[in-house]
Amino acid sequence: MTAELVRGQNHPLTQNRLEIRVSAGAPIVAGATLSDDQGKVHGRDWVAHPGAPALPGLEVPRQAAADHRLAVDLDAVPEAAHRVSVLLALPTGPGDPDRFGAVAAPFVAVTGLDGSEVASYTITDLDAESAVVALELYRRQGAWKVRAVGQGYAGGLGALLTDQGLPDAGALAGEIGEAVARGLARTVAPPPPRTAASGASAMADTGAGASAAGAAMPSTTPPRSQQPQVPPAPRPTHEPQPQAHASGQTGGTGPVNYTHPGRQAPAPPAPAPTATPGAPGQPAVPVAGDATGWSMDERLYNQVWGMFEDLARCVAAYRSAVDFADSRMEQELDKALSDPRSRIGGQGDAAREAARTKHGRLVDQAREALDRDLAQLAAESAVVEPALPPAYAGWDNPVWHAYRSPMEIPMALRLGDLQLPESRALGLRIPMLVRLPLERGMWIDSGRSGADALTESDELRRRAMRSAVEHAARLLAVYPAGEFAVHVIDPAGSAAGALAPLVRAGVLAGPPAAGAAGVSEVLARLIQRVDLVQMAVRGGAADALPPDLDTAEQLLIVNDFPHGFDDRAVTRLRYLADEGPAVGVHLLMVADREDAAEYGPVLDPLWRALLRLTPVPDDHLADPWVGHAWTYEPPNVPPGSRILEQVLEEVARARREQGI
């Protein structure tokens, strides 16, 4: 599974021969440095750049380009080098952008030699910087790891290399700029476009034809005004283009392209929708899909995460401004009261009044800016929500009424909504989207929470199980028929009512397992699947799996844990939580942690391995970057609606057509 890193996060590397791929919206310069365990570059011979592209274990491109590939062999890196830093910089030629804030956010991926992504990182929040340390590969206790850095420098390559301890950094930066300029000067300009007549003439002269089929490689589209800072998704499979006929036309007029299909120039994608300019002094009118991406679904995904970051950022700015106003007022009051002379007469009262007036003015200004940003986000949400596909949409979205079983897996799934206290008055909620396939299991907490301490315990358990059924139904609906299976463990049979929609539709892999024997049988079967797939993947023999093995993604719903579980069953469940997601086996537990208190810290790794959700709104999701506590709201089916049953009926129909 690809690890999508955020700034400061690291990830272990299991391969020593790697490729680092860089993609940006404009030509950039890519290089790398070797440094010791203190991060110091010992000299020029530890810097790989377009003028000197090769170092032991490292090779970088010779020219500026929008896409780069850097080759790394960690076994060949000198023993004295403990870090390999990947550097990106903007060219300094005329007409080139002078800051990263004017181009699309660079995307960096670490891949194996087979092209499989190990880790990726989108470098966000760059503005005036013209050079950046994108990521670093570092040696720690004999093993290599990758860390997302994203450290930018407004002073360009010179400032970056100086920060890494290179004595003549400015001179070397100038030489790198000259080498890039020489590389651009050697680039052959494309020939002028030929007319249809000249193409036909060429066909008459040669009497030969060539295939014009080639993968349409979309170019990077400009970001929206508030660019979503999320990692781009893998590119979808491209449809083949029309073949060139012997007449030199592709179903119409135009010259024959004699270039080898693998070397043809990329074709631009269909343009993404862009926001309509507003009246002077007014924000742009939002549109759905106003973000970068290879498809409309990806653009909507990126737009939703852009809205999430915009909301986090504007609320963080407001709270920071209020904290500053409070601190400043306290300082001014302390200063006024520290002078005994101000306590005589009306000077003290006047100072206090002035401090409070200034505080109120600062808070009002911050609130005005927040209200403006929230109103813009609310307008964007009102446009985006109706345009979401089923995988991203709430159950009240009309898109579900036209639901049909999909042909391919979507890139993400909606697990609920997120909001902050400041946005509650406007009803502004951001869809909580997670990437598919799932990388960790889920735990729906049926215990009491601080946000809803008055709800009865039995009612919370019923709501938790209904929420689990709705999540399972959504997963079945967004996967193609036959590519997702759901198992249920209900030891006491207490969830029969909540499970009725799944049972009636016949979309479960088998009847809900009851009793200790049923628990043991289901766990043993899924563990056997995990072990077989792991052995096949590690041995490179995926085609050697038993023919009766179900290769679809598996979801195990466990109700009322730990009832019906002995020590062995608990150990097996922990194994599934740890090893299952990597091979397509996922947990969805409905449990109250207090019920399992007798196990003590033994189950702590299990709870930490699962994403905690709640059946009622609760502010338990913490944002470590800005310190927000986000309120999570589950995606409940509207009361009285039959949309869940209708969707499950369509899932069952598609499964029957597939012979399942």
Side-chain angles (χ1 to χ4, degrees):
M1 304 298 290
T2 303
E4 297 180 355
L5 306 180
V6 296
R7 182 173 296 170
Q9 186 179 0
N10 59 48
H11 185 73
L13 297 174
T14 58
Q15 306 175 53
N16 286 338
R17 299 187 65 190
L18 303 165
E19 190 173 70
I20 298 175
R21 301 182 179 183
V22 180
S23 179
I28 60 174
V29 180
T33 60
L34 303 178
S35 56
D36 59 20
D37 55 353
Q38 301 300 319
K40 183 176 181 180
V41 178
H42 286 191
R44 288 177 171 233
D45 54 348
W46 277 32
V47 183
H49 56 85
L55 292 180
L58 185 62
E59 186 170 358
V60 304
R62 298 174 180 269
Q63 294 183 1
D67 296 288
H68 289 290
R69 294 190 179 191
L70 290 70
V72 180
D73 184 356
L74 297 175
D75 288 332
V77 172
E79 285 294 327
H82 287 257
R83 299 183 190 177
V84 179
S85 300
V86 177
L87 320 178
L88 305 179
L90 294 172
T92 56
D96 291 321
D98 59 355
R99 59 189 186 92
F100 273 109
V103 301
F107 173 69
V108 186
V110 180
T111 72
L113 295 183
D114 59 353
S116 59
E117 283 193 7
V118 179
S120 64
Y121 172 45
T122 300
I123 309 172
T124 61
D125 296 331
L126 296 179
D127 187 9
E129 298 88 347
S130 58
V132 62
V133 179
L135 50 80
E136 65 180 13
L137 315 179
Y138 64 98
R139 199 195 316 252
R140 181 68 55 83
Q141 297 179 347
W144 285 91
K145 294 184 178 183
V146 57
R147 177 187 289 121
V149 180
Q151 177 63 53
Y153 295 83
L157 265 179
L160 187 156
L161 295 173
T162 299
D163 192 42
Q164 294 196 350
L166 193 66
D168 55 345
L172 180 58
E175 294 176 13
I176 294 174
E178 294 174 2
V180 172
R182 289 195 302 270
L184 293 175
R186 290 195 300 268
T187 304
V188 179
R194 300 193 307 171
T195 62
S198 64
S201 173
M203 278 299 298
D205 291 342
T206 61
S211 172
M217 300 295 291
S219 60
T220 305
T221 55
R224 71 189 188 123
S225 58
Q226 294 176 322
Q227 180 182 350
Q229 309 295 342
V230 296
R235 301 177 183 178
T237 304
H238 302 294
E239 298 180 358
Q241 301 302 305
Q243 299 289 324
H245 301 296
S247 63
Q249 299 175 349
T250 58
T253 60
V256 175
N257 187 348
Y258 289 97
T259 309
H260 187 280
R263 300 176 182 173
Q264 290 176 10
T274 56
T276 305
Q282 299 297 320
V285 180
V287 297
D290 182 16
T292 58
W294 304 101
S295 65
M296 187 60 176
D297 284 2
E298 184 181 351
R299 291 198 289 267
L300 287 168
Y301 171 84
N302 288 345
Q303 188 172 15
V304 166
W305 275 106
M307 293 163 58
F308 170 83
E309 292 205 346
D310 288 346
L311 178 57
R313 191 178 299 112
C314 70
V315 170
Y318 168 72
R319 293 180 180 178
S320 177
V322 172
D323 289 343
F324 171 77
D326 292 342
S327 174
R328 183 169 180 173
M329 182 178 69
E330 291 178 2
Q331 292 176 5
E332 292 179 351
L333 290 176
D334 290 343
K335 183 179 179 180
L337 296 176
S338 64
D339 186 356
R341 292 173 298 178
S342 64
R343 302 177 187 179
I344 302 173
Q347 294 183 9
D349 293 338
R352 284 192 290 271
E353 184 62 27
R356 294 191 183 100
T357 301
K358 189 178 297 183
H359 172 272
R361 185 168 62 251
L362 291 174
V363 171
D364 290 344
Q365 290 174 353
R367 186 71 211 191
E368 182 181 355
L370 175 66
D371 290 342
R372 182 181 64 248
D373 292 339
L374 291 179
Q376 178 68 9
L377 282 171
E380 187 172 10
S381 177
V383 171
V384 170
E385 277 285 358
L388 296 177
Y392 306 171
W395 286 112
D396 56 349
N397 193 310
V399 70
W400 285 108
H401 293 281
Y403 165 77
R404 291 294 179 269
S405 182
M407 300 299 293
E408 59 183 18
I409 301 172
M411 65 179 297
L413 178 80
R414 185 171 186 161
L415 292 183
D417 295 325
L418 299 172
Q419 65 172 337
L420 292 170
E422 288 82 354
S423 66
R424 193 169 291 129
L426 289 177
L428 175 60
R429 297 173 175 83
I430 306 298
M432 179 181 173
L433 304 181
V434 297
R435 294 292 294 270
L436 290 179
L438 297 172
E439 295 185 1
R440 61 191 298 198
M442 294 176 285
W443 160 39
I444 300 180
D445 190 353
S446 59
R448 292 182 181 273
S449 66
D452 195 0
L454 299 180
T455 305
E456 293 293 333
S457 176
D458 290 344
E459 176 62 20
L460 279 174
R461 293 177 188 273
R462 285 192 291 269
R463 290 187 185 182
M465 196 59 206
R466 283 201 302 268
S467 182
V469 169
E470 291 167 2
H471 285 303
R474 182 182 289 266
L475 282 163
L476 284 166
V478 303
Y479 271 79
E483 295 191 20
F484 199 87
V486 177
H487 309 260
V488 177
I489 289 179
D490 185 19
S494 59
L499 291 170
L502 296 175
V503 175
R504 282 197 300 264
V507 294
L508 294 178
V519 171
S520 178
E521 190 273 333
V522 171
L523 292 176
R525 187 168 67 249
L526 290 177
I527 285 178
Q528 182 185 36
R529 183 194 182 280
V530 170
D531 291 340
L532 288 173
V533 175
Q534 280 185 340
M535 289 188 292
V537 170
R538 291 169 182 170
D543 55 350
L545 289 169
D548 60 341
L549 183 73
D550 185 5
T551 57
E553 297 274 316
Q554 310 285 316
L555 177 71
L556 173 60
I557 302 177
V558 179
N559 180 45
D560 209 15
F561 176 82
H563 182 78
F565 281 73
D566 55 19
D567 291 346
R568 186 180 182 188
V570 169
T571 302
R572 287 179 166 182
L573 194 68
R574 286 184 53 188
Y575 178 80
L576 284 180
D578 293 338
E579 304 294 334
V583 291
V585 178
H586 313 282
L587 282 183
L588 177 53
M589 289 183 55
V590 179
D592 181 355
R593 189 168 182 174
E594 293 298 323
D595 293 342
E598 64 184 28
Y599 287 94
V602 173
L603 289 183
D604 286 350
L606 175 63
W607 305 120
R608 287 196 298 266
L610 303 174
L611 172 63
R612 178 177 175 247
L613 304 176
T614 55
V616 294
D618 188 66
D619 57 352
H620 66 280
L621 293 178
D623 187 340
W625 297 108
V626 290
H628 296 333
W630 290 85
T631 298
Y632 166 80
E633 294 186 2
N636 296 325
V637 174
S641 173
R642 292 198 69 256
I643 193 63
L644 184 68
E645 289 78 6
Q646 294 174 12
V647 169
L648 290 175
E649 289 171 4
E650 170 60 20
V651 171
R653 182 199 63 78
R655 289 164 60 91
R656 288 193 299 269
E657 289 184 354
Q658 297 288 334
I660 303 171

